[in-house]
Amino acid sequence: MDAIVLLRDDHKTVEKLFKRFEKTGDDDGIERRTIVDEVIEELTVHAWVEERIFYPAAREAAPETTDHILESIEEHHAVVWMLSELKNMDPADERFKAKMSVLMENVRHHVEEEEQEWFPQVRKAMGRKRLTELGDQLEAEKNKAPRDPLAVPSAASK
C-alpha cells in the first residue's frame, strides 16, 4: 500500500475514535476509557512509524519539507506526552475530557498540516513505486511498534 494512503487511513481511524468520544456523555466513563485506550494505541504506533520510517524518507526525497517534518516531530512529542498522561488518568477526573479535547485539537491540526501542506510535495518527489515500498516498510514497522506511549523515547529530546 502507498505510504501516504496508509498514513491517511490511520488519520481516518483516529478521527472516527475522536467522533465517538465527542458523542459520549459525562456518565460514559467506561466508554470514554475504552475509546481513549484505542486512541493511545493508534497514535503511539502511528507516531512511531512516521518518525522512524516516513519522516526520514520524506526529508530525503523532498528537502523543502524539512521544517514541516521538524515541526511534526515536536507535535508528536506533545501528543505522546498527553497520551502518557491520559493512559493513567481516571475518566472521572475532571481534567480527563479537557485533556482529550486538547489532544484532539492538536492531532487535527497536525493531520491538516500533513495532508494539505506537505504530503502533496512528498508524493510528487517520491512517486508511486517508492511510496509503495515505503508503505510496505511502514506496515512491517507497525507490527514492531510500541503500543504504550511510556515506551516511546522522546524524539524531541534527540
mmCIF file of all heavy atoms in Angstrom, residues 49-98:
data_model
loop_
_atom_site.group_PDB
_atom_site.id
_atom_site.type_symbol
_atom_site.label_atom_id
_atom_site.label_comp_id
_atom_site.label_asym_id
_atom_site.label_seq_id
_atom_site.Cartn_x
_atom_site.Cartn_y
_atom_site.Cartn_z
ATOM 1 N N VAL A 49 5.894 4.957 13.585
ATOM 2 C CA VAL A 49 6.262 4.611 12.207
ATOM 3 C C VAL A 49 6.551 5.852 11.371
ATOM 4 O O VAL A 49 7.425 5.810 10.503
ATOM 5 C CB VAL A 49 5.224 3.687 11.515
ATOM 6 C CG1 VAL A 49 5.074 2.386 12.284
ATOM 7 C CG2 VAL A 49 3.901 4.358 11.278
ATOM 8 N N GLU A 50 5.839 6.931 11.647
ATOM 9 C CA GLU A 50 6.136 8.156 10.912
ATOM 10 C C GLU A 50 7.562 8.621 11.205
ATOM 11 O O GLU A 50 8.307 8.953 10.281
ATOM 12 C CB GLU A 50 5.148 9.276 11.277
ATOM 13 C CG GLU A 50 3.888 9.259 10.474
ATOM 14 C CD GLU A 50 3.062 10.509 10.646
ATOM 15 O OE1 GLU A 50 3.076 11.121 11.732
ATOM 16 O OE2 GLU A 50 2.373 10.868 9.678
ATOM 17 N N GLU A 51 7.916 8.654 12.468
ATOM 18 C CA GLU A 51 9.230 9.177 12.835
ATOM 19 C C GLU A 51 10.381 8.262 12.434
ATOM 20 O O GLU A 51 11.448 8.731 12.061
ATOM 21 C CB GLU A 51 9.282 9.460 14.336
ATOM 22 C CG GLU A 51 8.458 10.672 14.710
ATOM 23 C CD GLU A 51 8.594 11.054 16.166
ATOM 24 O OE1 GLU A 51 9.643 10.757 16.777
ATOM 25 O OE2 GLU A 51 7.642 11.655 16.693
ATOM 26 N N ARG A 52 10.174 6.960 12.501
ATOM 27 C CA ARG A 52 11.250 6.013 12.196
ATOM 28 C C ARG A 52 11.417 5.755 10.705
ATOM 29 O O ARG A 52 12.527 5.522 10.238
ATOM 30 C CB ARG A 52 11.012 4.697 12.924
ATOM 31 C CG ARG A 52 11.186 4.818 14.425
ATOM 32 C CD ARG A 52 10.930 3.505 15.119
ATOM 33 N NE ARG A 52 11.802 2.448 14.668
ATOM 34 C CZ ARG A 52 12.965 2.123 15.232
ATOM 35 N NH1 ARG A 52 13.393 2.784 16.273
ATOM 36 N NH2 ARG A 52 13.679 1.124 14.772
ATOM 37 N N ILE A 53 10.309 5.769 9.959
ATOM 38 C CA ILE A 53 10.360 5.373 8.545
ATOM 39 C C ILE A 53 9.997 6.535 7.607
ATOM 40 O O ILE A 53 10.773 6.894 6.721
ATOM 41 C CB ILE A 53 9.397 4.189 8.265
ATOM 42 C CG1 ILE A 53 9.628 3.014 9.218
ATOM 43 C CG2 ILE A 53 9.461 3.767 6.801
ATOM 44 C CD1 ILE A 53 10.948 2.325 9.069
ATOM 45 N N PHE A 54 8.806 7.087 7.797
ATOM 46 C CA PHE A 54 8.290 8.039 6.813
ATOM 47 C C PHE A 54 9.020 9.379 6.825
ATOM 48 O O PHE A 54 9.422 9.870 5.763
ATOM 49 C CB PHE A 54 6.783 8.260 7.004
ATOM 50 C CG PHE A 54 6.184 9.108 5.929
ATOM 51 C CD1 PHE A 54 5.996 8.606 4.652
ATOM 52 C CD2 PHE A 54 5.824 10.424 6.182
ATOM 53 C CE1 PHE A 54 5.460 9.393 3.644
ATOM 54 C CE2 PHE A 54 5.285 11.218 5.188
ATOM 55 C CZ PHE A 54 5.097 10.700 3.914
ATOM 56 N N TYR A 55 9.190 9.984 7.976
ATOM 57 C CA TYR A 55 9.795 11.316 8.015
ATOM 58 C C TYR A 55 11.211 11.339 7.443
ATOM 59 O O TYR A 55 11.524 12.224 6.640
ATOM 60 C CB TYR A 55 9.775 11.888 9.432
ATOM 61 C CG TYR A 55 8.401 12.312 9.927
ATOM 62 C CD1 TYR A 55 8.238 12.703 11.244
ATOM 63 C CD2 TYR A 55 7.279 12.336 9.110
ATOM 64 C CE1 TYR A 55 7.002 13.102 11.733
ATOM 65 C CE2 TYR A 55 6.042 12.725 9.589
ATOM 66 C CZ TYR A 55 5.908 13.116 10.907
ATOM 67 O OH TYR A 55 4.685 13.516 11.383
ATOM 68 N N PRO A 56 12.073 10.395 7.824
ATOM 69 C CA PRO A 56 13.418 10.426 7.214
ATOM 70 C C PRO A 56 13.376 10.276 5.690
ATOM 71 O O PRO A 56 14.114 10.968 4.971
ATOM 72 C CB PRO A 56 14.137 9.246 7.865
ATOM 73 C CG PRO A 56 13.421 9.021 9.158
ATOM 74 C CD PRO A 56 11.979 9.364 8.872
ATOM 75 N N ALA A 57 12.520 9.397 5.196
ATOM 76 C CA ALA A 57 12.417 9.198 3.744
ATOM 77 C C ALA A 57 11.852 10.442 3.065
ATOM 78 O O ALA A 57 12.319 10.842 1.985
ATOM 79 C CB ALA A 57 11.549 7.977 3.443
ATOM 80 N N ALA A 58 10.862 11.056 3.688
ATOM 81 C CA ALA A 58 10.251 12.267 3.122
ATOM 82 C C ALA A 58 11.261 13.411 3.084
ATOM 83 O O ALA A 58 11.368 14.136 2.095
ATOM 84 C CB ALA A 58 9.023 12.667 3.937
ATOM 85 N N ARG A 59 12.006 13.524 4.155
ATOM 86 C CA ARG A 59 13.006 14.593 4.238
ATOM 87 C C ARG A 59 14.085 14.428 3.176
ATOM 88 O O ARG A 59 14.540 15.410 2.583
ATOM 89 C CB ARG A 59 13.606 14.583 5.639
ATOM 90 C CG ARG A 59 14.435 15.782 5.948
ATOM 91 C CD ARG A 59 14.841 15.764 7.418
ATOM 92 N NE ARG A 59 15.661 16.918 7.708
ATOM 93 C CZ ARG A 59 16.145 17.197 8.888
ATOM 94 N NH1 ARG A 59 15.885 16.419 9.918
ATOM 95 N NH2 ARG A 59 16.890 18.263 9.075
ATOM 96 N N GLU A 60 14.476 13.193 2.926
ATOM 97 C CA GLU A 60 15.484 12.925 1.901
ATOM 98 C C GLU A 60 14.941 13.214 0.505
ATOM 99 O O GLU A 60 15.619 13.819 -0.324
ATOM 100 C CB GLU A 60 15.935 11.468 1.990
ATOM 101 C CG GLU A 60 17.024 11.117 1.006
ATOM 102 C CD GLU A 60 17.457 9.665 1.108
ATOM 103 O OE1 GLU A 60 17.462 9.113 2.221
ATOM 104 O OE2 GLU A 60 17.776 9.082 0.061
ATOM 105 N N ALA A 61 13.708 12.779 0.249
ATOM 106 C CA ALA A 61 13.127 12.939 -1.089
ATOM 107 C C ALA A 61 12.680 14.368 -1.377
ATOM 108 O O ALA A 61 12.749 14.821 -2.517
ATOM 109 C CB ALA A 61 11.939 11.984 -1.259
ATOM 110 N N ALA A 62 12.214 15.047 -0.344
ATOM 111 C CA ALA A 62 11.688 16.405 -0.512
ATOM 112 C C ALA A 62 12.272 17.310 0.575
ATOM 113 O O ALA A 62 11.604 17.628 1.558
ATOM 114 C CB ALA A 62 10.167 16.386 -0.450
ATOM 115 N N PRO A 63 13.540 17.722 0.405
ATOM 116 C CA PRO A 63 14.214 18.511 1.450
ATOM 117 C C PRO A 63 13.461 19.789 1.834
ATOM 118 O O PRO A 63 13.613 20.280 2.945
ATOM 119 C CB PRO A 63 15.571 18.833 0.842
ATOM 120 C CG PRO A 63 15.770 17.867 -0.264
ATOM 121 C CD PRO A 63 14.411 17.456 -0.733
ATOM 122 N N GLU A 64 12.645 20.282 0.924
ATOM 123 C CA GLU A 64 11.888 21.503 1.222
ATOM 124 C C GLU A 64 10.834 21.285 2.316
ATOM 125 O O GLU A 64 10.270 22.238 2.840
ATOM 126 C CB GLU A 64 11.230 22.069 -0.052
ATOM 127 C CG GLU A 64 10.101 21.225 -0.629
ATOM 128 C CD GLU A 64 10.556 20.092 -1.551
ATOM 129 O OE1 GLU A 64 11.769 19.772 -1.607
ATOM 130 O OE2 GLU A 64 9.687 19.524 -2.220
ATOM 131 N N THR A 65 10.591 20.030 2.680
ATOM 132 C CA THR A 65 9.623 19.737 3.742
ATOM 133 C C THR A 65 10.282 19.639 5.126
ATOM 134 O O THR A 65 9.595 19.375 6.112
ATOM 135 C CB THR A 65 8.879 18.417 3.460
ATOM 136 O OG1 THR A 65 9.810 17.326 3.485
ATOM 137 C CG2 THR A 65 8.138 18.455 2.130
ATOM 138 N N THR A 66 11.576 19.869 5.197
ATOM 139 C CA THR A 66 12.314 19.690 6.453
ATOM 140 C C THR A 66 11.688 20.464 7.617
ATOM 141 O O THR A 66 11.503 19.904 8.700
ATOM 142 C CB THR A 66 13.795 20.070 6.278
ATOM 143 O OG1 THR A 66 14.386 19.146 5.362
ATOM 144 C CG2 THR A 66 14.546 20.019 7.602
ATOM 145 N N ASP A 67 11.361 21.722 7.422
ATOM 146 C CA ASP A 67 10.773 22.498 8.522
ATOM 147 C C ASP A 67 9.449 21.899 8.975
ATOM 148 O O ASP A 67 9.165 21.838 10.176
ATOM 149 C CB ASP A 67 10.581 23.959 8.120
ATOM 150 C CG ASP A 67 11.900 24.727 8.048
ATOM 151 O OD1 ASP A 67 12.919 24.235 8.585
ATOM 152 O OD2 ASP A 67 11.910 25.827 7.457
ATOM 153 N N HIS A 68 8.635 21.454 8.026
ATOM 154 C CA HIS A 68 7.360 20.815 8.371
ATOM 155 C C HIS A 68 7.596 19.536 9.175
ATOM 156 O O HIS A 68 6.890 19.260 10.144
ATOM 157 C CB HIS A 68 6.549 20.470 7.112
ATOM 158 C CG HIS A 68 5.984 21.654 6.410
ATOM 159 N ND1 HIS A 68 5.017 22.451 6.944
ATOM 160 C CD2 HIS A 68 6.258 22.165 5.188
ATOM 161 C CE1 HIS A 68 4.701 23.412 6.092
ATOM 162 N NE2 HIS A 68 5.451 23.263 5.021
ATOM 163 N N ILE A 69 8.579 18.763 8.746
ATOM 164 C CA ILE A 69 8.872 17.496 9.425
ATOM 165 C C ILE A 69 9.370 17.755 10.846
ATOM 166 O O ILE A 69 8.923 17.089 11.796
ATOM 167 C CB ILE A 69 9.865 16.661 8.604
ATOM 168 C CG1 ILE A 69 9.181 16.173 7.321
ATOM 169 C CG2 ILE A 69 10.410 15.483 9.426
ATOM 170 C CD1 ILE A 69 10.112 15.601 6.275
ATOM 171 N N LEU A 70 10.240 18.723 11.008
ATOM 172 C CA LEU A 70 10.738 19.044 12.343
ATOM 173 C C LEU A 70 9.597 19.515 13.251
ATOM 174 O O LEU A 70 9.527 19.140 14.421
ATOM 175 C CB LEU A 70 11.852 20.089 12.265
ATOM 176 C CG LEU A 70 13.139 19.614 11.587
ATOM 177 C CD1 LEU A 70 14.107 20.774 11.407
ATOM 178 C CD2 LEU A 70 13.782 18.477 12.366
ATOM 179 N N GLU A 71 8.695 20.317 12.709
ATOM 180 C CA GLU A 71 7.523 20.754 13.478
ATOM 181 C C GLU A 71 6.643 19.555 13.822
ATOM 182 O O GLU A 71 6.136 19.445 14.946
ATOM 183 C CB GLU A 71 6.729 21.787 12.677
ATOM 184 C CG GLU A 71 5.519 22.311 13.425
ATOM 185 C CD GLU A 71 4.725 23.328 12.622
ATOM 186 O OE1 GLU A 71 5.322 24.102 11.839
ATOM 187 O OE2 GLU A 71 3.501 23.339 12.776
ATOM 188 N N SER A 72 6.486 18.639 12.894
ATOM 189 C CA SER A 72 5.672 17.445 13.137
ATOM 190 C C SER A 72 6.254 16.589 14.251
ATOM 191 O O SER A 72 5.516 16.038 15.073
ATOM 192 C CB SER A 72 5.540 16.619 11.853
ATOM 193 O OG SER A 72 4.753 17.312 10.913
ATOM 194 N N ILE A 73 7.567 16.472 14.297
ATOM 195 C CA ILE A 73 8.215 15.707 15.363
ATOM 196 C C ILE A 73 7.914 16.351 16.715
ATOM 197 O O ILE A 73 7.613 15.658 17.691
ATOM 198 C CB ILE A 73 9.728 15.574 15.105
ATOM 199 C CG1 ILE A 73 9.964 14.647 13.911
ATOM 200 C CG2 ILE A 73 10.453 15.066 16.348
ATOM 201 C CD1 ILE A 73 11.392 14.633 13.397
ATOM 202 N N GLU A 74 7.956 17.667 16.768
ATOM 203 C CA GLU A 74 7.642 18.369 18.025
ATOM 204 C C GLU A 74 6.174 18.178 18.397
ATOM 205 O O GLU A 74 5.837 18.014 19.574
ATOM 206 C CB GLU A 74 7.994 19.853 17.916
ATOM 207 C CG GLU A 74 9.473 20.123 17.749
ATOM 208 C CD GLU A 74 10.345 19.505 18.845
ATOM 209 O OE1 GLU A 74 9.928 19.501 20.020
ATOM 210 O OE2 GLU A 74 11.438 19.021 18.517
ATOM 211 N N GLU A 75 5.308 18.194 17.393
ATOM 212 C CA GLU A 75 3.877 17.945 17.660
ATOM 213 C C GLU A 75 3.690 16.526 18.196
ATOM 214 O O GLU A 75 2.914 16.313 19.135
ATOM 215 C CB GLU A 75 3.051 18.177 16.389
ATOM 216 C CG GLU A 75 2.952 19.632 16.016
ATOM 217 C CD GLU A 75 2.373 19.896 14.636
ATOM 218 O OE1 GLU A 75 2.248 18.954 13.823
ATOM 219 O OE2 GLU A 75 2.047 21.063 14.364
ATOM 220 N N HIS A 76 4.397 15.566 17.639
ATOM 221 C CA HIS A 76 4.339 14.189 18.141
ATOM 222 C C HIS A 76 4.765 14.137 19.604
ATOM 223 O O HIS A 76 4.159 13.437 20.411
ATOM 224 C CB HIS A 76 5.244 13.266 17.332
ATOM 225 C CG HIS A 76 4.675 12.836 16.032
ATOM 226 N ND1 HIS A 76 5.336 11.947 15.218
ATOM 227 C CD2 HIS A 76 3.535 13.139 15.383
ATOM 228 C CE1 HIS A 76 4.620 11.742 14.120
ATOM 229 N NE2 HIS A 76 3.517 12.459 14.206
ATOM 230 N N HIS A 77 5.822 14.856 19.921
ATOM 231 C CA HIS A 77 6.320 14.873 21.295
ATOM 232 C C HIS A 77 5.204 15.328 22.252
ATOM 233 O O HIS A 77 4.975 14.697 23.289
ATOM 234 C CB HIS A 77 7.541 15.789 21.387
ATOM 235 C CG HIS A 77 8.064 15.973 22.763
ATOM 236 N ND1 HIS A 77 8.651 14.949 23.479
ATOM 237 C CD2 HIS A 77 8.078 17.052 23.570
ATOM 238 C CE1 HIS A 77 9.007 15.408 24.673
ATOM 239 N NE2 HIS A 77 8.669 16.672 24.748
ATOM 240 N N ALA A 78 4.512 16.401 21.890
ATOM 241 C CA ALA A 78 3.422 16.910 22.729
ATOM 242 C C ALA A 78 2.276 15.897 22.808
ATOM 243 O O ALA A 78 1.696 15.679 23.877
ATOM 244 C CB ALA A 78 2.922 18.249 22.188
ATOM 245 N N VAL A 79 1.951 15.274 21.698
ATOM 246 C CA VAL A 79 0.870 14.289 21.663
ATOM 247 C C VAL A 79 1.219 13.071 22.528
ATOM 248 O O VAL A 79 0.397 12.618 23.334
ATOM 249 C CB VAL A 79 0.538 13.873 20.208
ATOM 250 C CG1 VAL A 79 -0.296 12.597 20.156
ATOM 251 C CG2 VAL A 79 -0.181 15.002 19.491
ATOM 252 N N VAL A 80 2.418 12.548 22.383
ATOM 253 C CA VAL A 80 2.823 11.375 23.164
ATOM 254 C C VAL A 80 2.808 11.704 24.658
ATOM 255 O O VAL A 80 2.405 10.890 25.480
ATOM 256 C CB VAL A 80 4.185 10.825 22.688
ATOM 257 C CG1 VAL A 80 4.747 9.794 23.652
ATOM 258 C CG2 VAL A 80 4.049 10.226 21.289
ATOM 259 N N TRP A 81 3.203 12.902 24.998
ATOM 260 C CA TRP A 81 3.163 13.339 26.396
ATOM 261 C C TRP A 81 1.722 13.335 26.922
ATOM 262 O O TRP A 81 1.439 12.812 27.992
ATOM 263 C CB TRP A 81 3.801 14.729 26.503
ATOM 264 C CG TRP A 81 3.758 15.324 27.870
ATOM 265 C CD1 TRP A 81 4.384 14.871 28.991
ATOM 266 C CD2 TRP A 81 3.041 16.485 28.254
ATOM 267 N NE1 TRP A 81 4.107 15.698 30.050
ATOM 268 C CE2 TRP A 81 3.286 16.697 29.627
ATOM 269 C CE3 TRP A 81 2.213 17.386 27.568
ATOM 270 C CZ2 TRP A 81 2.733 17.756 30.331
ATOM 271 C CZ3 TRP A 81 1.678 18.449 28.273
ATOM 272 C CH2 TRP A 81 1.929 18.623 29.637
ATOM 273 N N MET A 82 0.789 13.889 26.126
ATOM 274 C CA MET A 82 -0.623 13.881 26.539
ATOM 275 C C MET A 82 -1.164 12.454 26.610
ATOM 276 O O MET A 82 -1.933 12.125 27.518
ATOM 277 C CB MET A 82 -1.468 14.735 25.592
ATOM 278 C CG MET A 82 -1.304 16.218 25.834
ATOM 279 S SD MET A 82 -2.434 17.214 24.832
ATOM 280 C CE MET A 82 -1.521 17.282 23.298
ATOM 281 N N LEU A 83 -0.771 11.611 25.669
ATOM 282 C CA LEU A 83 -1.215 10.214 25.692
ATOM 283 C C LEU A 83 -0.742 9.517 26.959
ATOM 284 O O LEU A 83 -1.490 8.753 27.574
ATOM 285 C CB LEU A 83 -0.696 9.457 24.464
ATOM 286 C CG LEU A 83 -1.221 9.882 23.102
ATOM 287 C CD1 LEU A 83 -0.502 9.127 21.996
ATOM 288 C CD2 LEU A 83 -2.730 9.695 23.003
ATOM 289 N N SER A 84 0.500 9.784 27.361
ATOM 290 C CA SER A 84 1.032 9.136 28.559
ATOM 291 C C SER A 84 0.275 9.592 29.805
ATOM 292 O O SER A 84 0.090 8.813 30.737
ATOM 293 C CB SER A 84 2.535 9.380 28.694
ATOM 294 O OG SER A 84 2.800 10.733 28.940
ATOM 295 N N GLU A 85 -0.171 10.825 29.816
ATOM 296 C CA GLU A 85 -0.985 11.300 30.939
ATOM 297 C C GLU A 85 -2.378 10.679 30.918
ATOM 298 O O GLU A 85 -2.896 10.260 31.956
ATOM 299 C CB GLU A 85 -1.083 12.824 30.922
ATOM 300 C CG GLU A 85 0.215 13.499 31.271
ATOM 301 C CD GLU A 85 0.089 14.997 31.447
ATOM 302 O OE1 GLU A 85 -0.876 15.609 30.950
ATOM 303 O OE2 GLU A 85 0.972 15.560 32.097
ATOM 304 N N LEU A 86 -2.979 10.615 29.742
ATOM 305 C CA LEU A 86 -4.322 10.023 29.620
ATOM 306 C C LEU A 86 -4.317 8.542 29.974
ATOM 307 O O LEU A 86 -5.310 8.029 30.501
ATOM 308 C CB LEU A 86 -4.864 10.216 28.200
ATOM 309 C CG LEU A 86 -5.424 11.596 27.880
ATOM 310 C CD1 LEU A 86 -5.534 11.783 26.374
ATOM 311 C CD2 LEU A 86 -6.765 11.808 28.559
ATOM 312 N N LYS A 87 -3.215 7.865 29.700
ATOM 313 C CA LYS A 87 -3.121 6.429 29.942
ATOM 314 C C LYS A 87 -3.442 6.074 31.391
ATOM 315 O O LYS A 87 -4.113 5.089 31.655
ATOM 316 C CB LYS A 87 -1.725 5.928 29.573
ATOM 317 C CG LYS A 87 -1.526 4.438 29.805
ATOM 318 C CD LYS A 87 -0.171 3.999 29.316
ATOM 319 C CE LYS A 87 0.128 2.558 29.622
ATOM 320 N NZ LYS A 87 -0.878 1.598 29.269
ATOM 321 N N ASN A 88 -2.970 6.878 32.319
ATOM 322 C CA ASN A 88 -3.148 6.574 33.731
ATOM 323 C C ASN A 88 -4.202 7.450 34.412
ATOM 324 O O ASN A 88 -4.319 7.421 35.628
ATOM 325 C CB ASN A 88 -1.800 6.708 34.453
ATOM 326 C CG ASN A 88 -0.800 5.710 33.929
ATOM 327 O OD1 ASN A 88 -1.114 4.532 33.767
ATOM 328 N ND2 ASN A 88 0.401 6.167 33.625
ATOM 329 N N MET A 89 -4.938 8.209 33.637
ATOM 330 C CA MET A 89 -5.918 9.129 34.210
ATOM 331 C C MET A 89 -7.287 8.454 34.305
ATOM 332 O O MET A 89 -7.717 7.772 33.379
ATOM 333 C CB MET A 89 -5.999 10.391 33.348
ATOM 334 C CG MET A 89 -6.852 11.495 33.932
ATOM 335 S SD MET A 89 -6.824 12.983 32.885
ATOM 336 C CE MET A 89 -5.418 13.823 33.590
ATOM 337 N N ASP A 90 -7.932 8.662 35.400
ATOM 338 C CA ASP A 90 -9.285 8.143 35.611
ATOM 339 C C ASP A 90 -10.263 8.965 34.777
ATOM 340 O O ASP A 90 -10.226 10.203 34.820
ATOM 341 C CB ASP A 90 -9.627 8.261 37.104
ATOM 342 C CG ASP A 90 -10.945 7.620 37.471
ATOM 343 O OD1 ASP A 90 -11.873 7.590 36.631
ATOM 344 O OD2 ASP A 90 -11.061 7.157 38.617
ATOM 345 N N PRO A 91 -11.152 8.312 34.027
ATOM 346 C CA PRO A 91 -12.130 9.058 33.227
ATOM 347 C C PRO A 91 -13.032 9.950 34.078
ATOM 348 O O PRO A 91 -13.640 10.896 33.565
ATOM 349 C CB PRO A 91 -12.954 7.972 32.529
ATOM 350 C CG PRO A 91 -12.143 6.752 32.601
ATOM 351 C CD PRO A 91 -11.252 6.870 33.802
ATOM 352 N N ALA A 92 -13.122 9.678 35.365
ATOM 353 C CA ALA A 92 -13.923 10.511 36.264
ATOM 354 C C ALA A 92 -13.189 11.792 36.666
ATOM 355 O O ALA A 92 -13.802 12.724 37.193
ATOM 356 C CB ALA A 92 -14.311 9.714 37.508
ATOM 357 N N ASP A 93 -11.883 11.836 36.404
ATOM 358 C CA ASP A 93 -11.101 13.037 36.716
ATOM 359 C C ASP A 93 -11.674 14.210 35.921
ATOM 360 O O ASP A 93 -11.926 14.088 34.718
ATOM 361 C CB ASP A 93 -9.632 12.799 36.330
ATOM 362 C CG ASP A 93 -8.705 13.920 36.740
ATOM 363 O OD1 ASP A 93 -8.988 15.097 36.408
ATOM 364 O OD2 ASP A 93 -7.678 13.617 37.372
ATOM 365 N N GLU A 94 -11.853 15.327 36.576
ATOM 366 C CA GLU A 94 -12.466 16.476 35.900
ATOM 367 C C GLU A 94 -11.632 16.984 34.726
ATOM 368 O O GLU A 94 -12.145 17.648 33.833
ATOM 369 C CB GLU A 94 -12.725 17.609 36.887
ATOM 370 C CG GLU A 94 -11.473 18.253 37.446
ATOM 371 C CD GLU A 94 -11.745 19.400 38.408
ATOM 372 O OE1 GLU A 94 -12.912 19.741 38.618
ATOM 373 O OE2 GLU A 94 -10.772 19.950 38.935
ATOM 374 N N ARG A 95 -10.359 16.630 34.672
ATOM 375 C CA ARG A 95 -9.482 17.077 33.583
ATOM 376 C C ARG A 95 -9.421 16.088 32.412
ATOM 377 O O ARG A 95 -8.854 16.410 31.361
ATOM 378 C CB ARG A 95 -8.074 17.327 34.134
ATOM 379 C CG ARG A 95 -8.034 18.509 35.099
ATOM 380 C CD ARG A 95 -6.683 18.718 35.761
ATOM 381 N NE ARG A 95 -5.595 18.660 34.831
ATOM 382 C CZ ARG A 95 -4.505 17.880 34.999
ATOM 383 N NH1 ARG A 95 -4.380 17.103 36.042
ATOM 384 N NH2 ARG A 95 -3.540 17.894 34.119
ATOM 385 N N PHE A 96 -9.994 14.900 32.569
ATOM 386 C CA PHE A 96 -9.907 13.856 31.545
ATOM 387 C C PHE A 96 -10.479 14.331 30.207
ATOM 388 O O PHE A 96 -9.810 14.271 29.179
ATOM 389 C CB PHE A 96 -10.629 12.590 32.029
ATOM 390 C CG PHE A 96 -10.441 11.388 31.144
ATOM 391 C CD1 PHE A 96 -9.309 10.598 31.247
ATOM 392 C CD2 PHE A 96 -11.416 11.026 30.225
ATOM 393 C CE1 PHE A 96 -9.137 9.468 30.453
ATOM 394 C CE2 PHE A 96 -11.263 9.895 29.417
ATOM 395 C CZ PHE A 96 -10.116 9.119 29.542
ATOM 396 N N LYS A 97 -11.705 14.795 30.222
ATOM 397 C CA LYS A 97 -12.354 15.245 28.985
ATOM 398 C C LYS A 97 -11.618 16.452 28.399
ATOM 399 O O LYS A 97 -11.415 16.536 27.183
ATOM 400 C CB LYS A 97 -13.815 15.589 29.242
ATOM 401 C CG LYS A 97 -14.556 16.015 27.993
ATOM 402 C CD LYS A 97 -16.001 16.354 28.275
ATOM 403 C CE LYS A 97 -16.670 16.892 27.033
ATOM 404 N NZ LYS A 97 -17.978 17.457 27.328
ATOM 405 N N ALA A 98 -11.189 17.376 29.253
ATOM 406 C CA ALA A 98 -10.468 18.561 28.782
ATOM 407 C C ALA A 98 -9.151 18.167 28.124
ATOM 408 O O ALA A 98 -8.789 18.688 27.058
ATOM 409 C CB ALA A 98 -10.218 19.516 29.952
#
